Amino acid sequence: MTDFRADLAKMHRPRLLIQAARLGLSDYRRDRDLRRLGGLTARASDAVPHLLAQERAVEEARKAGTVGYSISYHIELLIALMAEIRLLPKEMAP
């Protein structure tokens, strides 16, 4: 089983992105938001690796200054990632 703690410990994102994501957590609806972010309706343990991969790709686009980078999409991914990690069993959660 993947150790999400190690992946998350390596993540360093701008404070403003993290703050915006934290503010959006209260509006997170798993059924609506996961579907919009990639058709996921699986368990949190299945969703987290997928969301981590998507977030890494978006972070690379942000760092590279890619024209197609969307800050709102990045925040949505971070919100979903934070929310899904909270649903993981305690032995898997960071």
Side-chain angles (χ1 to χ4, degrees):
M1 196 159 289
T2 302
D3 182 13
F4 297 117
R5 289 178 202 171
D7 291 336
L8 293 171
K10 295 176 191 174
M11 285 180 69
H12 298 285
R13 303 298 182 257
R15 184 177 301 199
L16 190 56
L17 276 175
I18 300 301
Q19 287 175 340
R22 285 185 182 142
L23 287 172
L25 275 172
S26 61
D27 292 329
Y28 180 75
R29 282 197 11 226
R30 189 169 202 271
D31 57 334
R32 174 196 66 199
D33 297 332
L34 274 184
R35 194 171 321 124
R36 186 175 57 228
L37 293 173
L40 298 172
T41 57
R43 299 173 306 200
S45 60
D46 295 333
V48 169
H50 182 75
L51 291 168
L52 278 170
Q54 282 185 288
E55 196 281 331
R56 280 188 204 112
V58 171
E59 175 65 7
E60 289 301 315
R62 182 189 69 81
K63 286 181 177 179
T66 305
V67 175
Y69 171 74
S70 168
I71 192 167
S72 61
Y73 181 69
H74 198 168
I75 292 169
E76 285 182 52
L77 280 171
L78 288 170
I79 291 168
L81 191 55
M82 289 176 181
E84 292 299 312
I85 286 170
R86 289 179 177 184
L87 297 175
L88 289 174
K90 292 295 181 196
E91 64 272 5
M92 292 179 68

